[in-house]
Amino acid sequence: MGSLSILTDWSVCAFCHADDHPTQHAPPRARPPARYGNPTGDEYSPMSRRTVLQGGHVLAFGGAPGTAADVAIADGRIVAIGSGLSRPEDIVVDAREAIVLPALTDIHTHIYWGATSLGVRPELVAHRSATGTFVDAGSAGAGNFEGLKTFIFEPLPFHAFAFLNISFPGIFGFSKRVMVGECCDMRLVDAESCIEAAQAYPEQIVGIKVRAGRKASGENGGAALEVALEVAERLNLPVMCHVDLDPPSIEEVLQRLRPGDIITHCCRPDPNAATENGRVRDAVWRARESGVHFDIGHGMGGFSFRVCREMLAEGFVPDLISSDIHSLSVNGPAYDLLTTINKMIALGVDQTTALAAGSANPAKVIGRPDLGRIAVGDEANVAVLKWRDEPWTFRDAAGEGLDVSTRLVCDRLIVKGRQIDPAGGSHPMQSQ
């Protein structure tokens, strides 16, 4: 894998909706066909009139500097970016005092809802988190990926991709009471099955996932990582490697990862953290220099304010910010991607860098840079964020609190040229 250029400039501060964290109650098992409110017939066109997002601070990425501008959308695509674009017949959305940027890409989620115990329904978090692209990180393996594609990805009004688990059944035993690691039995780790599945679904599978740690692999973490690397090398895909308790140690994992691979939970608390005695480990710096990408992967236990502060103090800013939402983290402490981005900004990462780490950077890593930019001719995948001034407390996986007075919330989400409502429904654009 070749290394990718990741955006890492520093600049402002941000945060997400309060009623923004509704509890995900277990819904009925059957889902109606019109689950996302997609219309039929002539109404299905993404937008019947041109829509102009007027006067926002546009973070287009893709090499374009942040600037005050209008963004015009027609027939589901970006048709113009500039000043004074609105015409009398346009739908005009007032985006003054707002940030207009690509809909976020959450590169570490678990959305195989209904088929795995850790899966959550992406539509329930999409709007509040400004997320238009969900990447499932290893919920499914070769044995059940077709179900993830058919029953979850295909009906979604969002973009969806996956890191295929190196273990044949994926993450099958994950709940408050049952924790059975998918690589504890190496009979489940079959390279050829994984390769066949990835070759069968090249549009959806963007990498290989391995959970190389004692909880997920017992004593087999190193062996499972070796198989994942072999498979990824043959497929020319990146590996996303989860690290928890050793074995293997974080140093052993980082020594094996290649340029373009991803280590997730990079700010996990001790033991096996990226820092030791308050300093970033040498192995972590060497991996960064070699082109390994560092991903937050917040989840239930993967993010420590203390470790993150220690890394930031030395100028080590993670390349990717992701939520690792699943059944045990979606109602806290992770909640969603925008909340995780807000935590990073509260810790001192500037707004532009943090938002790039949740949009342009992960979109590049999965080979879809078009989903991480706003450019004329591209499909419209856009989020509008606004500052909300109010006291708020964020918490990390260890329960430490971080008080803020302002945060970004999602005001509007457009995915595939259509407006996404707070319940995850997809509709033609409307003024507001």
Side-chain angles (χ1 to χ4, degrees), residues 8-30:
T8 54
D9 23 295
W10 284 59
S11 117
V12 184
C13 174
F15 303 94
C16 163
H17 271 299
D19 356 341
D20 326 305
H21 300 151
T23 299
Q24 288 215 359
H25 298 292
R29 303 305 289 178

Side-chain angles (χ1 to χ4, degrees), residues 187 194 361:
R187 292 177 299 175
C194 198
N361 294 357

Side-chain angles (χ1 to χ4, degrees), residues 5 67 79 85 91 118 174 238-239 260 407-408:
S5 174
T67 186
V79 294
L85 297 182
I91 297 171
L118 80 165
F174 185 97
V239 164
R407 59 200 177 94
L408 281 177

Side-chain angles (χ1 to χ4, degrees), residues 37-315:
N38 286 334
T40 56
D42 293 340
E43 254 189 293
Y44 187 73
S45 64
M47 301 179 187
S48 55
R49 293 162 59 192
R50 200 174 81 144
T51 296
V52 176
L53 306 177
Q54 188 175 65
H57 179 69
V58 178
L59 295 176
F61 299 124
T67 186
D70 301 344
V71 176
I73 303 169
D75 297 322
R77 308 197 82 79
I78 307 295
V79 294
I81 302 171
S83 300
L85 297 182
S86 65
R87 304 184 297 224
E89 65 272 20
D90 291 338
I91 297 171
V92 177
V93 176
D94 184 0
R96 291 171 299 177
E97 308 300 323
I99 300 166
V100 178
L101 76 162
L104 301 182
T105 293
D106 197 342
I107 201 171
H108 189 156
T109 70
H110 294 283
I111 59 171
Y112 202 174
W113 175 79
T116 63
S117 56
L118 80 165
V120 298
R121 293 174 61 176
E123 69 271 22
L124 299 186
V125 300
H127 187 278
R128 81 186 196 202
S129 67
T131 300
T133 300
F134 291 85
V135 184
D136 187 278
S139 300
N144 54 0
F145 178 78
E146 188 171 3
L148 176 63
K149 172 185 175 291
T150 303
F151 301 118
I152 303 297
F153 287 5
E154 289 181 0
L156 282 178
F158 318 112
H159 294 279
F161 304 94
F163 283 84
L164 184 70
N165 202 305
I166 193 63
S167 179
F168 189 76
I171 304 174
F172 62 88
F174 185 97
S175 73
K176 289 181 179 179
R177 290 188 295 272
V178 176
M179 286 282 182
V180 179
E182 67 272 18
C183 293
C184 287
D185 186 338
M186 286 297 288
R187 292 177 299 175
L188 298 175
V189 181
D190 184 70
E192 295 306 319
S193 295
C194 198
I195 289 169
E196 288 173 7
Q199 290 174 335
Y201 302 105
E203 298 300 315
Q204 293 82 26
I205 294 175
V206 295
I208 304 300
K209 174 69 179 292
V210 58
R211 297 204 301 157
R214 193 189 316 161
K215 292 181 179 179
S217 300
E219 299 297 315
N220 299 327
L225 175 58
E226 290 302 320
V227 178
L229 289 166
E230 173 199 336
V231 167
E233 189 70 26
R234 290 170 63 182
L235 293 167
N236 193 30
L237 290 175
V239 164
M240 176 185 280
C241 184
H242 150 121
V243 61
D244 59 62
L245 304 178
D246 62 15
S249 70
I250 191 169
E251 289 101 333
E252 291 170 324
V253 169
L254 291 171
Q255 287 167 6
R256 296 296 298 123
L257 295 183
R258 308 160 300 159
D261 288 338
I262 304 161
I263 184 165
T264 191
H265 313 310
C266 71
C267 294
R268 63 164 279 110
D270 292 326
N272 224 16
T275 61
E276 185 175 31
N277 299 322
R279 303 288 297 177
V280 177
R281 296 175 188 265
D282 290 343
V284 172
W285 282 113
R286 287 194 297 270
R288 158 65 60 87
E289 291 164 5
S290 76
V292 172
H293 301 310
F294 286 76
D295 171 47
I296 291 294
H298 191 310
M300 177 178 63
F303 184 60
S304 162
F305 288 155
R306 179 187 62 78
V307 171
C308 190
R309 285 191 192 97
E310 291 170 350
M311 296 173 75
L312 294 176
E314 295 188 45

